[in-house]
């Protein structure tokens, strides 16, 4: 079973392309956003309602004009049932905007317009011979204030909804809509839209999620090594480097439910930009460089027991707001790559002067080699080290995960090292 999610729609004209793609790819659920032009009018209505400005009738009339123009453009103007339904939805929006006794009028307005766009898409799909039904995702309940969906509850609610609509070939769901802890409609942050799609897939027990139009541009810059296929663990490692490609909760939930994620180019929906799924045997997927770091090593003066010494080091790091990027430790010393100012490094050194000898080296870079670097891949670590044998390495981290091999090198050498690593074919 597949879920198809569209990340953005500029206007109602995009709905025709969405319907065509849905007809070609045969998903069980499609998740659609409210068109940007209608969303802007919706925001104007909400501002007027919340701040008691002039009546919102003009903005609602514009929405009605645009919706009716879209129905005419796609041959649905003669559908009396659809036109009547559109007018009922907008009449409810007018009622809310005029001060109906509702605890969250802006959310209720947004919910009605989201469901209205779903009704419109259902009509377009019906013209293409597909029996489509709107899926009111306000039945999906948040489990806490962190915008996470209660998946077990959602699966039960979805099962009842599907049983009540057995004749439907495809469900159309509004993007980001769910139910808050206060039992009122609420909307997940748009930056977490990929998580919302995965949550719906988990509720429907689907095994694939296709996302069209989400920009996946913040990949590490070593394009010759980039792979369009990542495992869940590799995607998590890339996100940990600070590159935003997918929201971390999306990867975690997809991995737990064995859901494959595919991201498609909005301008060419047949072009797969990125796939995140199960095992892939490519040794090196991508290489990430983080510059501007400082290498520090704390060697114990044996004034404290080992466990208290490490705790004291962490306390100093926290006190002076240094960001630990990578770390390795033994009973007598701790080596770290940190992101901190020179003043912070000096303060840390002064704070720990009675318990540790500290060595600091500025102008360092961290090189992360992300891919299938498991210990079962015999000699890969030897090949990596042999390829950079001409460069000094002050820090190596390997074995804490089977998807990442980390090196601390001088910033001046980092690009040359990457060029050497790109040549590895093992």
């Amino acid at each position: 079973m597949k879920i198809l999610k569209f990340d953005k729609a500029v206007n109602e004209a995009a709905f025709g392309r969405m319907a065509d793609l849905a007809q070609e790819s045969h998903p069980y659920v499609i998740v659609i956003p409210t068109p940007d032009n209608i969303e802007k009018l919706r925001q104007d209505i909400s501002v007027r309602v919340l701040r008691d400005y002039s009546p919102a009738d003009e903005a609602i009339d514009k929405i009605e004009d645009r919706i009716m123009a879209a129905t005419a453009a796609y041959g649905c103007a003669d559908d009396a049932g659809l036109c009547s339904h559109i007018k009922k939805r907008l009449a409810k929006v007018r009622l809310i905007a005029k001060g109906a006794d509702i605890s969250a009028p802006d959310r209720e307005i947004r919910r009605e317009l989201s469901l209205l766009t779903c009704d419109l898409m259902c009509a377009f799909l019906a013209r293409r011979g597909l029996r489509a039904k709107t899926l009111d995702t306000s039945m999906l309940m948040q489990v806490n204030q962190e915008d996470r969906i209660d998946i077990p509850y959602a699966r039960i609610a979805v099962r009842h909804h599907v049983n009540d609509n057995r004749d439907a070939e495809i469900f159309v769901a509004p993007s980001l809509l769910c139910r808050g802890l206060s039992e009122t409609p609420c909307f997940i942050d748009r930056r977490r839209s990929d998580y919302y799609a995965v949550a719906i897939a988990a509720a429907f027990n689907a095994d694939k999620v296709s996302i069209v139009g989400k920009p996946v541009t913040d990949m590490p810059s070593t394009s010759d090594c980039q792979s369009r296929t990542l495992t869940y663990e590799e995607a998590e490692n890339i996100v940990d480097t600070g590159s935003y490609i997918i929201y971390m909760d999306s990867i975690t939930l997809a991995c737990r439910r064995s859901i494959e994620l595919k991201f498609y180019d909005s301008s060419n929906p047949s072009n797969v930009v990125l796939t995140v799924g199960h095992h892939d045997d490519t040794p090196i997927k991508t290489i990430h460089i983080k510059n501007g770091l400082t290498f520090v090593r704390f060697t114990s003066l044996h004034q404290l027991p080992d466990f208290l010494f490490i705790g004291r080091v962490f306390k100093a790091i926290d006190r002076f707001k240094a960001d630990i990027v990578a770390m390795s430790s033994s009973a007598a010393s701790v080596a770290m790559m940190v992101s901190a100012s020179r003043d912070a490094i000096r303060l840390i050194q002064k704070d720990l002067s009675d318990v540790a000898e500290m060595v600091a080296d500025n102008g360092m870079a961290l090189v992360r080699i992300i891919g299938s670097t498991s210990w079962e891949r015999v000699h890969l670590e030897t090949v990596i080290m042999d390829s950079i044998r001409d460069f000094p390495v002050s820090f190596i981290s390997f074995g804490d995960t089977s998807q990442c091999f980390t090196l601390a090198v001088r910033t001046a050498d980092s690009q040359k090292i990457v060029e050497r690593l790109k040549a590895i074919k093992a």
Side-chain angles (χ1 to χ4, degrees), residues 382-417:
T382 305
V383 173
I384 290 173
M385 296 309 300
D386 186 59
S387 69
I388 60 172
R389 63 185 179 275
D390 299 327
F391 302 97
V393 177
S394 59
F395 180 98
I396 299 173
S397 177
F398 177 56
D400 59 326
T401 170
S402 61
Q403 280 75 38
C404 190
F405 192 106
T406 304
L407 305 168
V409 300
R410 293 181 305 195
T411 299
D413 296 333
S414 60
Q415 288 296 338
K416 298 175 185 177
I417 288 173

Side-chain angles (χ1 to χ4, degrees), residues 342-366:
R342 293 193 178 190
D343 288 341
I345 296 296
R346 283 195 293 267
L347 290 170
I348 291 170
Q349 185 174 20
K350 182 178 178 180
D351 187 64
L352 295 174
S353 60
D354 58 330
V355 296
E357 178 184 357
M358 187 183 111
V359 175
D361 193 356
N362 296 312
M364 300 295 289
L366 197 69

Side-chain angles (χ1 to χ4, degrees), residues 218-279:
D218 195 14
M219 287 283 283
S221 60
T222 55
S223 58
D224 290 351
C225 281
Q226 280 187 20
S227 173
R228 291 189 176 186
T229 304
L230 300 172
T231 64
Y232 302 115
E233 294 83 2
E234 290 162 357
E236 286 179 340
N237 273 285
I238 291 177
V239 173
D240 280 339
T241 66
S243 297
Y244 177 74
I245 54 172
I246 315 172
Y247 199 78
M248 184 64 83
D249 284 352
S250 308
I251 305 170
T252 304
L253 181 57
C255 181
R256 189 180 303 146
R257 302 284 177 174
S258 297
I259 300 170
E260 181 184 67
L261 306 178
K262 284 195 174 185
F263 295 82
Y264 292 84
D265 189 352
S266 58
S267 59
N268 182 13
S270 62
N271 180 30
V272 179
V273 178
L274 177 67
T275 299
V276 179
H278 286 293
H279 182 69

Side-chain angles (χ1 to χ4, degrees), residues 82-233:
L82 174 63
C83 294
S84 174
H85 191 67
I86 291 171
K87 291 184 180 298
K88 286 180 180 178
R89 288 268 190 208
L90 291 174
K92 187 171 181 179
V93 171
R94 292 179 193 276
L95 184 63
I96 297 169
K98 288 179 180 178
D101 187 17
I102 295 175
S103 59
D106 56 323
R107 295 181 185 177
E108 290 288 350
I109 290 170
R110 187 175 176 184
R111 173 181 176 271
E112 289 300 321
L113 293 178
S114 296
L115 294 176
L116 177 57
T117 57
C118 291
D119 297 336
L120 193 62
M121 176 60 76
C122 287
F124 295 164
L125 292 171
R127 285 286 176 178
R128 289 163 172 78
L130 295 172
R131 295 189 299 275
K133 291 286 183 70
T134 296
L135 175 67
D136 186 353
T137 51
S138 58
M139 64 182 173
L140 305 180
M141 183 181 292
Q142 286 184 334
V143 69
N144 53 29
Q145 294 287 2
E146 297 177 0
D147 282 355
R148 293 197 179 113
I149 302 296
D150 187 339
I151 301 300
Y153 177 86
R155 296 184 78 169
I156 294 172
V158 162
R159 190 181 307 125
H160 289 308
H161 188 82
V162 170
N163 288 336
D164 293 340
N165 296 275
R166 291 181 179 273
D167 59 328
E169 295 179 299
I170 185 170
F171 289 99
V172 181
S175 183
L176 308 177
L177 173 64
C178 61
R179 192 197 314 174
L181 300 177
S182 59
E183 297 294 315
T184 59
C186 66
F187 290 82
I188 291 177
D189 192 314
R190 187 167 184 172
R191 292 172 296 179
R192 304 185 60 171
S193 61
D194 46 2
Y195 167 76
Y196 184 80
V198 176
I200 289 181
F204 275 88
N205 202 26
D207 56 359
K208 291 182 181 179
V209 172
S210 298
I211 300 177
V212 179
K214 180 180 177 62
V216 186
T217 56
D218 195 14
M219 287 283 283
S221 60
T222 55
S223 58
D224 290 351
C225 281
Q226 280 187 20
S227 173
R228 291 189 176 186
T229 304
L230 300 172
T231 64
Y232 302 115
E233 294 83 2

